[in-house]
Amino acid sequence: MAALIDVILPVFLVIGFGYLAVWKGYFTDAGVDGLMKFTQNFAIPCLLFRAISTLDLQQNLDLVLLGSFYAGAFAGFLAGLLGARFIFGRDWEDSVAIGFCCLFSNSLLLGLPITERAYGAGALEANYAIIAIHSPFCYGIGITAMEVARNRGAALTALPGKVLRAMFQNALIIGIALGFAVNLSGVPAPAVLTDALDLIARAALPAALFGLGGVLYRYRPEGDMRTILYVVAVSLLLHPVIVWVLAQAGGLGVAGTRSAMLTAAMAPGVNAYIFANMYGRARRVAASSVLLATGLSILTVWGWLAVLP
């Protein structure tokens, strides 16, 4: 019960305040859009840049950590893709969008604050190692699969260019790439610049959580409930179970297991809806899955915290 009250509920209360503010008209849709644009395009890229630029790559880019998490994520994508196609009879384009929902866990807005509240700021190194390749990995798989599905029988010579252009128009990936550039170059950024970036980065998570509540108010579930529940089950149960098994088999340490498991146990992020909306496929499933899984993750994350060492 302590984990629920001390770790999980404060994070979801901030989301709830955002939801309530928009529901009651105290905060407008335009305000939510502006807040999310600030966090997604500026504050969170600054946070990621600072984290990656100072990350000890040799110590934290653990192949067992990354292999466990991303094997689980890819298994979730395949479960979503094939389940949507062969269980629910969706076409291949819809199936890719549904698979992306099962692939993209909310590593930033939920994974970071919950891990920090549960285990302290020092526990976030492994989270940042996962996040460093999260967007490139997920968007790389999603965009490639969608372009293949949309261009069946056509030449795929233009596919790499399409994938790279789409990925590097994403502010999060740009922030990560610049962080790696500074880290690998060994050239320290000027203190006045890092201090300014830190000021912006401190606003990232609380503002994004509040904005997420406002965004979720728009995504009230409607129809396709069997498919939505399937996505929720894959995201909240299958992915973390696979990560747990692989982490134990690979001998991953306690800190890495905690970060990998909690990140895998997060609900699909808003990026799942953004991806579906970008292609105009399975938008209702994506939006409703984000909302329902986010609400249910209050209980499932509590359960995972109880079994973690």
Side-chain angles (χ1 to χ4, degrees):
M1 185 62 72
L4 177 65
I5 296 172
D6 298 336
V7 176
I8 300 170
L9 286 185
V11 173
F12 282 91
L13 279 175
V14 178
I15 296 173
F17 290 147
Y19 190 101
L20 183 66
V22 175
W23 177 27
K24 294 300 184 181
Y26 302 133
F27 204 69
T28 65
D29 280 344
V32 171
D33 289 338
L35 185 60
M36 292 305 286
K37 187 172 184 178
F38 165 71
T39 57
Q40 296 278 350
N41 292 345
F42 299 98
I44 292 176
C46 287
L47 173 68
L48 293 177
F49 170 80
R50 290 290 291 134
I52 301 302
S53 67
T54 58
L55 187 67
D56 185 338
L57 297 178
Q58 186 173 4
Q59 178 180 343
N60 290 292
L61 290 184
D62 185 324
L63 292 181
V64 178
L65 168 72
L66 299 178
S68 300
F69 180 84
Y70 285 107
F74 187 67
F77 173 75
L78 290 179
L81 172 75
L82 299 177
R85 178 62 179 159
F86 297 111
I87 298 175
F88 302 108
R90 309 295 288 244
D91 63 30
W92 280 113
E93 290 87 344
D94 271 12
S95 298
V96 172
I98 291 168
F100 192 86
C101 292
C102 299
L103 169 70
F104 204 108
S105 53
N106 199 337
S107 59
L108 274 169
L109 304 192
L110 295 180
L112 281 180
I114 288 176
T115 303
E116 182 176 10
R117 292 195 63 82
Y119 303 114
L124 296 181
E125 296 290 332
N127 288 64
Y128 284 124
I130 291 169
I131 290 168
I133 59 173
H134 193 224
S135 290
F137 178 88
C138 294
Y139 274 103
I141 287 175
I143 293 168
T144 300
M146 184 63 82
E147 293 298 334
V148 169
R150 295 174 73 192
N151 295 281
R152 291 189 298 276
L156 296 178
T157 53
L159 181 58
K162 286 184 178 180
V163 173
L164 289 173
R165 278 195 301 273
M167 287 173 61
F168 281 94
Q169 288 171 355
N170 185 306
L172 302 180
I173 294 177
I174 293 171
I176 290 168
L178 291 175
F180 271 118
V182 170
N183 191 311
L184 295 172
S185 71
V187 178
V192 64
L193 175 61
T194 59
D195 288 347
L197 293 175
D198 286 340
L199 285 174
I200 298 173
R202 286 188 200 113
L205 292 180
L209 287 170
F210 186 89
L212 177 60
V215 170
L216 291 177
Y217 176 72
R218 304 174 185 172
Y219 296 163
R220 294 177 288 280
E222 49 179 351
D224 293 317
M225 189 53 67
R226 289 175 61 242
T227 309
I228 293 164
L229 290 175
Y230 180 80
V231 171
V232 170
V234 171
S235 300
L236 301 185
L237 300 176
L238 179 64
H239 187 183
V241 165
I242 293 173
V243 171
W244 173 264
V245 171
L246 294 176
Q248 296 305 300
L252 185 62
V254 171
T257 299
R258 287 170 172 173
S259 292
M261 280 285 297
L262 284 181
T263 305
M266 294 302 115
V270 173
N271 279 296
Y273 176 74
I274 292 172
F275 182 86
N277 191 54
M278 182 168 67
Y279 287 103
R281 310 298 304 205
R283 285 176 288 195
R284 181 166 59 188
V285 172
S288 297
S289 295
V290 170
L291 176 59
L292 187 59
T294 300
L296 288 176
S297 65
I298 296 175
L299 298 177
T300 57
V301 171
W302 183 23
W304 290 120
L305 282 171
V307 302
L308 282 170

